Amino acid sequence: MPEGDTVWRQARDLRAVLEGKVLTASDFRIPAHATLDLSGRVVESVQSRGKHLLMYIDAEQARDRVVIHSHLLMEGHWDIYPVGSDGRFARWRRPAHTARVVLQTRLASAVGFSLGVLEVLPEALVGGAVDHLGPDLLGPDWDAQEALRRLRTDPAEPVGLALLDQRKIAGIGNVYRSDLCFLGGVHPAVAVAQVPDLPRIVALAKRLLEANKDRSGRSTTGGPARGDAAFWVYGRAGRPCKRCGATVQHAKILDPAHPVRAPRDIYWCPRCQPEP
């Protein structure tokens, strides 16, 4: 699932071509909104909240302002296609049958492919979609103390699960979870109450997402954002730890609060992050 920095970049790129622009056409390819037409209305703002995208569309006559809410989940992506010199939009890079929505302006087309969540909400109902989220690591109102308070609400919860809980801190996915635990010297299964320096892990989370938000490739090590240099332990099962040389381990961890969800991958160094 995309991490918060990926969604932040999507919002930035969409903002550049949609914000302040009049929609010349809209095409929602889902049953709930198949007849909705937003053409002639202005995209007032595009925002990211953790892993959620919000597009605010201006009010028109008797109709109130609405918000296009999307979530990428595992496979979603927003692509942007500019108008060429011939007056046509560039050819789509993804299969047309995976398009869920098309938003067009005079100069560009934004297409949401394979979106896990897509809904158009009255502005008054947006809170129901995102108000449950914890402090957004890349948000303008980031609050480290509130994030720590929320992480500590269940002291017995494994830190590897707590860091992924978007209700506690918004923006961390499996890549950051794995390497944050490594940098903090804790096994992902260690209880939150037993983490020796939780504020440091939260500060590192903020630092890493800020460092990567403007990069096309992600790196948690400070090295090149590709191959073996990109991560400390994530995806490196069976390979030597960059710090001590021990073999990086891999397993699955199940969230007992959401037993229907598939177990998530965890990676750790058995020497740098001893099991509890």
Side-chain angles (χ1 to χ4, degrees), residues 189-221:
V190 168
V192 168
Q194 302 302 315
V195 176
D197 195 349
L198 192 61
R200 178 172 176 268
I201 290 179
V202 170
L204 281 169
K206 172 68 171 173
R207 180 179 172 185
L208 286 175
L209 266 74
E210 287 285 355
N212 282 292
K213 70 180 185 181
D214 286 313
R215 304 177 66 173
S216 58
R218 181 181 298 123
S219 173
T220 61
T221 63

Side-chain angles (χ1 to χ4, degrees), residues 11 14-22 42-47 105:
L14 289 166
R15 191 179 303 122
V17 298
L18 293 178
E19 198 166 88
K21 305 296 193 301
V22 176
V42 176
V43 180
E44 293 188 340
S45 68
V46 181
Q47 304 172 14
T105 69

Side-chain angles (χ1 to χ4, degrees), residues 145-180:
Q145 293 307 309
E146 174 62 13
L148 283 167
R149 185 193 70 77
R150 293 190 181 211
L151 286 169
R152 289 168 171 157
T153 54
D154 185 356
E157 182 179 28
V159 65
L161 292 179
L163 289 171
L164 283 186
D165 189 339
Q166 302 300 298
R167 298 167 300 179
K168 295 174 180 175
I169 184 169
I172 295 176
N174 206 21
V175 175
Y176 284 118
R177 182 266 297 273
S178 297
D179 280 14
L180 283 168

Side-chain angles (χ1 to χ4, degrees), residues 10-266:
Q10 290 260 273
R12 177 202 62 192
D13 295 344
L14 289 166
R15 191 179 303 122
V17 298
L18 293 178
E19 198 166 88
K21 305 296 193 301
V22 176
L23 293 175
T24 56
S26 69
D27 180 9
F28 289 88
R29 301 181 178 189
I30 57 173
H33 302 301
T35 62
L36 179 61
D37 182 8
L38 296 179
S39 60
R41 301 177 71 169
V42 176
V43 180
E44 293 188 340
S45 68
V46 181
Q47 304 172 14
S48 62
R49 287 286 304 276
K51 300 182 181 184
H52 299 251
L53 274 167
L54 302 171
M55 301 180 188
Y56 286 79
I57 312 298
D58 73 330
E60 182 184 46
Q61 298 177 359
R63 291 179 287 182
D64 294 332
R65 191 159 74 150
V66 297
V67 181
I68 302 172
H69 168 229
S70 63
H71 194 299
L72 306 181
L73 290 186
M74 294 300 293
E75 298 179 354
H77 198 275
W78 281 90
D79 283 357
I80 296 168
Y81 301 93
V83 170
S85 57
D86 59 356
R88 298 181 180 180
F89 293 107
R91 185 176 179 178
W92 289 359
R93 298 184 294 274
R94 303 173 196 271
H97 73 271
T98 65
R100 298 293 175 261
V101 59
V102 183
L103 301 175
Q104 290 184 0
T105 69
R106 187 173 60 86
L107 297 177
S109 176
V111 186
F113 293 96
S114 302
L115 301 175
V117 173
L118 176 63
E119 55 186 355
V120 183
L121 303 170
E123 184 179 10
L125 299 183
V126 173
V130 296
D131 279 358
H132 66 286
L133 297 173
D136 182 355
L137 282 157
L138 295 177
D141 56 351
W142 164 245
D143 186 337
Q145 293 307 309
E146 174 62 13
L148 283 167
R149 185 193 70 77
R150 293 190 181 211
L151 286 169
R152 289 168 171 157
T153 54
D154 185 356
E157 182 179 28
V159 65
L161 292 179
L163 289 171
L164 283 186
D165 189 339
Q166 302 300 298
R167 298 167 300 179
K168 295 174 180 175
I169 184 169
I172 295 176
N174 206 21
V175 175
Y176 284 118
R177 182 266 297 273
S178 297
D179 280 14
L180 283 168
C181 286
F182 173 81
L183 291 168
V186 294
H187 189 281
V190 168
V192 168
Q194 302 302 315
V195 176
D197 195 349
L198 192 61
R200 178 172 176 268
I201 290 179
V202 170
L204 281 169
K206 172 68 171 173
R207 180 179 172 185
L208 286 175
L209 266 74
E210 287 285 355
N212 282 292
K213 70 180 185 181
D214 286 313
R215 304 177 66 173
S216 58
R218 181 181 298 123
S219 173
T220 61
T221 63
R226 60 181 183 276
D228 188 66
F231 306 122
W232 289 104
V233 293
Y234 177 78
R236 301 191 68 251
R239 306 179 74 176
C241 170
K242 295 173 182 289
R243 180 178 290 164
C244 73
T247 302
V248 173
Q249 303 295 303
H250 166 258
K252 301 276 188 176
I253 186 169
L254 177 67
D255 184 351
H258 300 93
V260 298
R261 293 181 182 174
R264 302 295 297 275
D265 294 287
I266 57 173

